[in-house]
């Protein structure tokens, strides 16, 4: 099976896992991340197959979406083995998707290969800007978060457990706790250039939101 066929099968696998998602981690998100990852990779020259495969698979091991992460990872590995993805590529893909989430970065910047940096940047770019604003509201509403409370300041110095605890977060505070930080946490100059305008849009949005409140 050639790599084009392998990627098509991995797309089908991810679709099976995420097609019913209602948190903003659906196939539309996946396909935007794959597209952005390809665009970045064209300039940066990473392993195209690893970049595309990791972009396709990055949310099927996300602990926000799946309760048994060990089982989720085992399922991904079994799928790649069935598709005869090489062992070195399997290892590389699993390392990327296991380390690239924002929550992992709370304990310190994770070391990622060039391919991992590209996929992480592509994923994080989809969390900011116009689509990022919509996804933040969509995700927060799905989890019954409060929209805004002026008496509730953004949380600081979050560890992973506190970050995952949505009981004392608001949707607007999420911009301060994560989204406004992304611009300076991206890996590549190419992604940072794209992030600049998206970051400014979010700042304008939150300023206007608070003025209207």
């Amino acid at each position: 099976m050639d790599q084009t066929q392998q990627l098509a099968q991995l797309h089908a696998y991810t679709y099976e896992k995420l097609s019913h998602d209602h948190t903003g981690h659906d196939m539309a998100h996946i396909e935007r991340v794959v597209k952005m990852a390809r665009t970045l990779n064209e300039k940066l020259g990473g392993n195209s197959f690893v970049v595309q495969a990791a972009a396709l698979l990055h949310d099927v091991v996300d602990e926000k979406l799946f309760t048994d992460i060990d089982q989720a990872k085992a399922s991904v590995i079994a799928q790649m083995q069935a598709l005869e993805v090489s062992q070195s590529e399997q290892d590389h893909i699993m390392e990327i998707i296991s380390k690239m989430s924002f929550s992992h970065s709370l304990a310190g910047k994770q070391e990622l290969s060039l391919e991992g940096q590209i996929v992480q940047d592509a994923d994080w770019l989809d969390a900011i800007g116009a689509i990022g604003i919509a996804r933040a509201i969509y995700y927060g509403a799905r989890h019954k978060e409060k929209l805004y409370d002026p008496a509730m300041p953004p949380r600081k110095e979050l560890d992973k457990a506190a970050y995952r605890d949505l009981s004392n977060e608001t949707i607007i505070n999420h911009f301060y706790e994560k989204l406004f930080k992304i611009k300076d946490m991206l890996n590549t100059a190419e992604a940072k250039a794209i992030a600049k305008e998206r970051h400014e849009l979010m700042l304008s949005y939150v300023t206007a939101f608070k003025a209207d409140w």
Side-chain angles (χ1 to χ4, degrees), residues 59-118:
D59 273 340
V60 299
V61 296
D62 190 329
E63 59 195 19
K64 298 191 301 296
L65 310 178
F66 300 94
T67 54
D68 190 336
I69 298 304
D70 289 337
Q71 183 183 58
K73 288 181 179 179
S75 176
V76 173
I77 291 169
Q79 178 67 19
M80 289 193 291
Q81 288 174 341
L83 297 174
E84 300 179 343
V85 175
S86 74
Q87 188 62 55
S88 63
E89 288 170 334
Q90 288 184 47
D91 293 343
H92 195 174
I93 291 163
M94 291 306 299
E95 180 181 24
I96 292 169
I97 67 176
S98 297
K99 294 170 63 176
M100 61 174 274
S101 73
F102 182 83
S103 64
H104 282 92
S105 72
L106 293 171
K109 185 69 173 175
Q110 298 292 303
E111 283 194 26
L112 293 169
S113 64
L114 172 61
E115 291 79 7
Q117 292 176 33
I118 289 167

Side-chain angles (χ1 to χ4, degrees), residues 123-180:
D123 183 40
W124 288 9
L125 282 171
D126 204 58
I128 62 176
I131 289 175
I133 292 168
R135 289 183 67 215
I137 296 169
Y138 191 53
Y139 183 87
R142 179 69 176 175
H143 290 276
K144 300 180 180 180
E145 285 188 72
K146 186 178 292 187
L147 179 58
Y148 180 52
D149 182 349
M152 186 182 294
R155 301 171 297 173
K156 298 181 179 179
E157 306 299 327
L158 293 172
D159 60 18
K160 189 175 179 179
Y163 173 73
R164 291 293 188 211
D165 180 7
L166 303 181
S167 63
N168 62 341
E169 186 191 47
T170 71
I171 291 172
I172 293 300
N173 281 354
H174 185 65
F175 285 83
Y176 295 93
E177 294 169 4
K178 175 182 178 181
L179 305 186
F180 288 155

Side-chain angles (χ1 to χ4, degrees), residues 168-206:
N168 62 341
E169 186 191 47
T170 71
I171 291 172
I172 293 300
N173 281 354
H174 185 65
F175 285 83
Y176 295 93
E177 294 169 4
K178 175 182 178 181
L179 305 186
F180 288 155
K181 297 177 180 180
I182 285 177
K183 176 177 67 71
D184 295 324
M185 294 176 67
L186 294 167
N187 302 289
T188 67
E190 289 77 6
K192 290 176 181 179
I194 295 169
K196 185 176 180 180
E197 183 176 347
R198 298 186 184 195
H199 182 81
E200 292 300 322
L201 176 62
M202 292 192 301
L203 289 174
S204 297
Y205 171 78
V206 171

